[in-house]
Amino acid sequence: MKDCFKYFMDDLADKGKSANTLSAYENDLSKFISYLESEGISDISEVNETKVNSYLLGLEKELKARSVSRNVASIKAFFRFLDHKRIIDSDICYTLKGPKINKTNKETLSDEERNLIYNVIDGDDLIAFRDRAIVSLLMNTSIKVSDLVLIRISDINMVASCITVDSSNKAVTMDDKVKRDISAYLDMLDYDTDDCYLFSSVNGKPLTRQGVWKKIKSYGIKAGIVRNINPKMLAR
């Protein structure tokens, strides 16, 4: 089982994942494997959904929902990798879901208003694709603007459907819509290294938190929303 773990970690390193990304996976998965071994499981093929769910139930008693969600993303990525490499017969974690994270924003937008903001970002240029990816991330994940502007391309893991936020060493899970929007943006983006920031201005400098706030506000006005909106209100 530890050989499978090492194989997975080596593959992530070969793909150029950041040190913080590797550390997050190593921390989550080493604890998971230790749990399995304590349950008398020494072969990865012996792991079943019941054991995985029992482990996660234990985590939910000790950790916050966001931390449990990160562990879910790590475990899903691990088993998806093993399935892809044909080390296991099937991905037993394919339907695994993290805990529901309660939103604490007192003021929010309706789904109709969110969709209006997303849909007013028209055009087929790089800026339009970038801004759609930004709004999609804010609408469909738990990410904060302060973390969003620090995302580097190397932090994105399409296979695991997550983005590792280096500032807090946590993983943010992406749904299919976010993945599509980011993929479309990356297809247009001209970059030399995966270490560069994902969201940059036309002059190549990373976007600022204040810049994203102004951008969301301007799209809200364009969408005809009379309220004074901010990025936090986009979160579902």
Side-chain angles (χ1 to χ4, degrees):
M1 187 151 50
K2 289 184 177 179
D3 288 341
C4 294
F5 173 52
K6 185 178 185 304
Y7 187 20
F8 174 69
M9 295 301 300
D10 287 346
D11 182 72
L12 292 178
D14 289 342
K15 291 177 179 176
K17 300 304 177 183
S18 68
N20 283 336
T21 298
L22 294 174
S23 177
Y25 278 113
E26 182 173 15
N27 180 64
D28 293 343
L29 293 175
S30 60
K31 291 179 180 178
F32 175 59
I33 289 173
S34 293
Y35 163 79
L36 294 176
E37 291 176 339
S38 71
E39 292 291 306
I41 298 174
S42 57
D43 191 316
I44 197 69
S45 64
E46 299 174 358
V47 183
N48 55 38
E49 293 178 67
T50 300
K51 283 297 180 186
V52 176
N53 285 323
S54 294
Y55 174 70
L56 293 175
L57 284 173
L59 289 186
E60 289 178 1
K61 296 177 182 179
E62 303 173 1
L63 304 176
K64 293 182 178 180
R66 295 189 190 280
S67 295
V68 176
S69 182
R70 188 200 66 213
N71 276 267
V72 169
S74 295
I75 293 171
K76 282 174 70 72
F78 182 45
F79 278 92
R80 188 178 293 114
F81 169 80
L82 297 178
D83 181 43
H84 179 70
K85 295 297 182 180
R86 299 180 184 271
I87 294 173
I88 56 178
D89 293 333
S90 62
D91 181 4
I92 63 168
C93 295
Y94 178 74
T95 60
L96 192 65
K97 294 182 179 180
K100 183 177 180 180
I101 299 175
N102 295 323
K103 302 296 189 299
T104 57
N105 296 333
K106 292 183 179 180
E107 189 175 8
T108 186
L109 296 170
S110 67
D111 285 342
E112 181 181 0
E113 288 172 322
R114 293 187 186 95
N115 290 330
L116 283 172
I117 292 173
Y118 179 86
N119 290 328
V120 297
I121 310 173
D122 53 6
D124 295 322
D125 60 344
L126 181 63
I127 299 302
F129 276 89
R130 180 199 68 188
D131 291 354
R132 279 193 287 268
I134 289 173
V135 171
S136 188
L137 266 169
L138 293 172
M139 285 173 57
N140 299 295
T141 74
S142 60
I143 199 165
K144 299 177 181 178
V145 175
S146 56
D147 290 330
L148 181 144
V149 297
L150 295 177
I151 297 173
R152 296 180 186 271
I153 294 176
S154 58
D155 295 324
I156 302 170
N157 188 330
M158 289 296 184
V159 175
S161 300
C162 69
I163 298 174
T164 299
V165 180
D166 284 350
S167 63
S168 56
N169 202 28
K170 68 181 181 182
V172 174
T173 303
M174 299 184 291
D175 63 12
D176 289 340
K177 170 143 186 64
V178 175
K179 289 173 66 176
R180 284 195 301 270
D181 285 329
I182 290 181
S183 293
Y185 169 55
L186 287 175
D187 286 343
M188 294 194 67
L189 189 62
D190 183 19
Y191 58 95
D192 297 323
T193 171
D194 284 355
D195 196 47
C196 65
Y197 287 102
L198 177 63
F199 299 119
S200 301
S201 61
V202 290
N203 60 13
K205 294 183 179 180
L207 293 180
T208 64
R209 175 178 173 275
Q210 293 80 5
V212 173
W213 278 59
K214 289 179 180 178
K215 188 171 292 293
I216 298 302
K217 184 176 181 179
S218 68
Y219 283 130
I221 294 172
K222 186 177 179 181
I225 300 173
V226 296
R227 285 189 285 162
N228 184 25
I229 69 170
N230 61 66
K232 291 181 179 179
M233 296 167 66
L234 284 173
R236 296 185 188 278

